[in-house]
Amino acid sequence: TQEEFSELVAYADARFVTVLPEFEMPGHYGAAAHSYPKLNEDDVAGPKITSTGIHTSRFAHYDPDTWELVADILGQISPLTNSPLIHIGGDEAKGVTHEEYLHPMDMIKQIVDSIGDITIVGWDDIANSNLSGGDIWVQYWNNAANTLEAADRSMGIIISPGDKLYLDMVYSRQPRIPSDFGLTWAQEN
């Protein structure tokens, strides 16, 4: 809930931690596709995804209802965080053509601009969009060429090349025991 999120932000703020929400598009939106069938091209709820990995994303890129919901979500969450940044993801958009990728990035930029003084952050894949300028930051994690392209377009850069640093992993060299919590895919790759 918004109240719970506000409590989390206050807890983090008291410890000098900034909460940077990530609203992922056009990939990694399986929960939204399952919960809001209208976001999908066929108006049918997407499958409930219970596994890790990259899943095909086919949301209704050109439906105004999609962007009304996105604007509502971003408009509600932005004032609740203690950050002038909002992360839009933009990575691993499996099943999305380049043209289909450009449209959501442009729409998100328009929505964020309408909300106020917020800086967009996205994974280095967003260097493949039409976005540019100092109010867009690219977070390097995977593709150095994308990051160089972003620098050429005057985007800010966040360097975080640790592609195996996830807080939900089991970090142990010992054999996994049933009481361990966390995922193991990073250890397997």
Side-chain angles (χ1 to χ4, degrees):
T1 66
Q2 289 186 7
E3 182 179 334
E4 291 168 329
F5 184 76
S6 295
E7 288 174 11
L8 175 67
V9 169
Y11 180 86
D13 201 42
R15 288 153 181 82
F16 307 101
V17 173
T18 301
V19 175
L20 176 57
E22 179 181 351
F23 184 80
E24 176 69 50
M25 286 189 101
H28 294 298
Y29 87 103
H34 180 71
S35 302
Y36 297 95
K38 194 169 190 169
L39 292 179
N40 301 309
E41 291 177 332
D42 56 8
D43 288 336
V44 174
K48 182 177 181 181
I49 297 172
T50 58
S51 63
T52 60
I54 304 168
H55 305 280
T56 301
S57 302
R58 297 300 311 164
F59 76 98
H61 291 105
Y62 300 99
D63 187 332
D65 290 339
T66 299
W67 301 109
E68 185 177 324
L69 178 63
V70 171
D72 186 45
I73 292 168
L74 293 177
Q76 288 186 46
I77 202 162
S78 294
L80 299 177
T81 185
N82 58 350
S83 173
L85 311 170
I86 191 150
H87 206 298
I88 62 168
D91 67 321
E92 301 174 332
K94 183 178 178 182
V96 175
T97 68
H98 181 67
E99 186 60 38
E100 290 171 330
Y101 184 82
L102 296 176
H103 183 69
M105 294 295 103
D106 292 343
M107 292 299 295
I108 290 171
K109 173 74 165 104
Q110 289 177 29
I111 290 166
V112 169
D113 285 350
S114 73
I115 293 170
D117 191 23
I118 300 170
T119 297
I120 289 175
V121 178
W123 297 112
D124 59 66
D125 304 63
I126 71 167
N128 298 307
S129 71
N130 294 324
L131 304 178
S132 64
D135 62 339
I136 310 291
W137 291 7
V138 168
Q139 185 170 359
Y140 165 61
W141 76 280
N142 186 35
N143 188 323
N146 285 344
T147 307
L148 293 172
E149 172 66 23
D152 286 344
R153 294 188 4 227
S154 300
M155 297 168 143
I157 308 291
I158 298 171
I159 303 295
S160 56
D163 65 344
K164 297 287 192 277
L165 178 61
Y166 289 85
L167 298 178
D168 58 354
M169 289 292 141
V170 173
Y171 289 97
S172 172
R173 298 211 183 270
Q174 302 303 317
R176 186 174 175 161
I177 57 174
S179 63
D180 284 342
F181 291 100
L183 303 173
T184 60
W185 66 264
Q187 295 170 337
E188 297 161 4
N189 292 330

